[in-house]
Amino acid sequence: MADNAHTPVRNSGRRPALALAALLFPMGVLHFVMPKPFDSIVPKALPGEPRNYTYASGVAELGVATALVIPRTRGLGGRLAALLFLAVLPGNVQMAVDALGNKKASQLFKIGTVLRLPLQIPLITQALKVSRLARNS
């Protein structure tokens, strides 16, 4: 019987990849099931209909989630996730700006929209970690 206690286990980034996919997949589905809240945070400076951006980001989230769960595409999925988190940051900023300027929005909602902005940083770093781990396995 072989002693596997000292055999190094390569970390392909499976757990963090699945965690990111578990975040992205339901959000991607929500872009199609309940698009109005996403339409409302599309930055006003973007041309065209907000719904097109809502659907495009939903497709992107579903595609990236899929890439993250497949071991063969996990490295690419990590890089794409990092880019996706950067791409949606303007929408999150727009949501915070709109909330802060809305007298009807609750104080808790306003605080939440601002506090979620720095959360993009660990999401991006986690996505890049997944990419590195997948490349090195």
Side-chain angles (χ1 to χ4, degrees):
M1 187 188 264
D3 179 15
N4 290 333
H6 298 292
T7 304
V9 176
R10 294 196 127 170
N11 184 351
S12 65
R14 182 175 182 268
R15 280 190 186 164
L18 294 179
L20 289 174
L23 173 73
L24 290 169
F25 189 79
M27 291 306 292
V29 169
L30 281 176
H31 279 70
F32 296 97
V33 176
M34 298 175 52
K36 284 186 181 184
F38 298 100
D39 293 347
S40 70
I41 66 169
V42 172
K44 316 289 187 258
L46 290 175
E49 293 297 316
R51 182 65 50 94
N52 294 335
Y53 293 100
T54 296
Y55 287 157
S57 62
V59 168
E61 288 176 347
L62 293 171
V64 170
T66 301
L68 287 165
V69 299
I70 300 172
R72 189 175 193 174
T73 58
R74 189 165 290 144
L76 174 62
R79 292 187 297 280
L80 291 174
L83 290 172
L84 179 62
F85 293 134
L86 282 171
V88 300
L89 183 58
N92 293 337
V93 169
Q94 185 68 55
M95 178 188 253
V97 167
D98 291 346
L100 292 173
N102 183 351
K103 293 179 183 177
K104 294 180 181 180
S106 73
Q107 200 63 22
L108 184 61
F109 181 73
K110 290 177 182 184
I111 292 168
T113 62
V114 172
L115 290 179
R116 73 183 281 217
L117 295 175
L119 292 177
Q120 296 298 119
I121 296 167
L123 289 173
I124 292 165
T125 57
Q126 190 73 350
L128 293 173
K129 178 182 177 182
V130 166
S131 179
R132 275 192 313 277
L133 290 171
R135 247 192 338 255
N136 294 330
S137 64

